[in-house]
Amino acid sequence: MSEKIDLSKYVPSEEEEFMNGNQRAYFRAKLVAWKNDILREARETLEHLAEESANHPDLADRASSETDRAIELRARDRQRKLISKIDAALQRIEEGTYGYCEETGEPIGLKRLDARPIATLSIEAQERHERREKVYRDE
């Protein structure tokens, strides 16, 4: 098993055993890199908001600045929730349950995991979930 995966060279393949050591290391590295990017962006946002906190004498400038600040804070809140999903995915890797559908126990699929590494449901289970959600929302 290779714990150090070069993301630029390794591509998980359907030909390999599902969730073998290389695949787990690949997804772990991908999730950690994603989390680090989010944390870096959050630090940059905080620095920007600290600089931006200067008083604006013009009411329109102040209103625009407050709107921008609210949008940034909402985006950061969404990213905070995303970090908890990334942490949960990393925990599933450690537990050996990563890559398997929470509903059916079947493999989620490498393409789906590569596109959405925090996925917990297979495409079929996700579609069922969304159909049920739509039915309840429409009632």
Side-chain angles (χ1 to χ4, degrees), residues 12 14 18 27 30 108-117 123:
E14 301 288 341
F18 188 71
F27 286 111
K30 187 171 183 133
I108 289 176
L110 294 174
K111 287 181 183 174
R112 176 163 168 73
L113 288 171
D114 212 22
R116 184 114 175 113
I123 289 175

Side-chain angles (χ1 to χ4, degrees), residues 12-135:
S13 164
E14 301 288 341
E15 310 303 312
E16 303 173 90
E17 178 187 347
F18 188 71
M19 279 305 124
N20 64 47
N22 284 340
Q23 289 180 1
R24 286 193 310 273
Y26 171 83
F27 286 111
R28 182 182 303 110
K30 187 171 183 133
L31 288 160
V32 167
W34 190 12
K35 180 179 176 179
N36 289 338
D37 285 346
I38 292 170
L39 293 172
R40 179 185 41 75
E41 289 171 9
R43 280 191 299 277
E44 290 170 2
T45 297
L46 288 174
E47 291 167 7
H48 174 70
L49 290 176
E51 293 168 7
E52 187 64 26
S53 66
N55 283 336
H56 296 287
D58 182 60
L59 285 176
D61 286 347
R62 190 177 313 153
S64 177
S65 178
E66 287 299 319
T67 300
D68 292 348
R69 180 186 216 100
I71 290 169
E72 279 291 334
L73 291 173
R74 259 195 317 271
R76 291 297 149 235
D77 188 50
R78 278 194 306 276
Q79 289 185 329
R80 179 185 55 79
K81 292 173 184 169
L82 183 56
I83 285 176
S84 71
K85 290 181 179 184
I86 291 171
D87 286 340
L90 289 168
Q91 183 63 39
R92 287 192 307 277
I93 289 174
E94 296 309 312
E95 294 168 352
T97 60
Y98 181 80
Y100 295 92
C101 179
E102 287 183 346
E103 198 172 280
T104 66
E106 295 292 316
I108 289 176
L110 294 174
K111 287 181 183 174
R112 176 163 168 73
L113 288 171
D114 212 22
R116 184 114 175 113
I118 58 173
T120 59
L121 298 173
S122 66
I123 289 175
E124 297 80 14
Q126 182 70 38
E127 288 170 348
R128 279 194 305 277
H129 176 73
E130 288 171 3
R131 278 194 301 273
R132 280 193 305 264
E133 206 172 70
K134 183 179 181 336
V135 166

Side-chain angles (χ1 to χ4, degrees), residues 2-8 10 21-27 29:
S2 171
E3 278 300 313
K4 294 289 182 191
I5 292 294
D6 182 351
L7 291 175
S8 66
Y10 177 76
N22 284 340
Q23 289 180 1
R24 286 193 310 273
Y26 171 83
F27 286 111

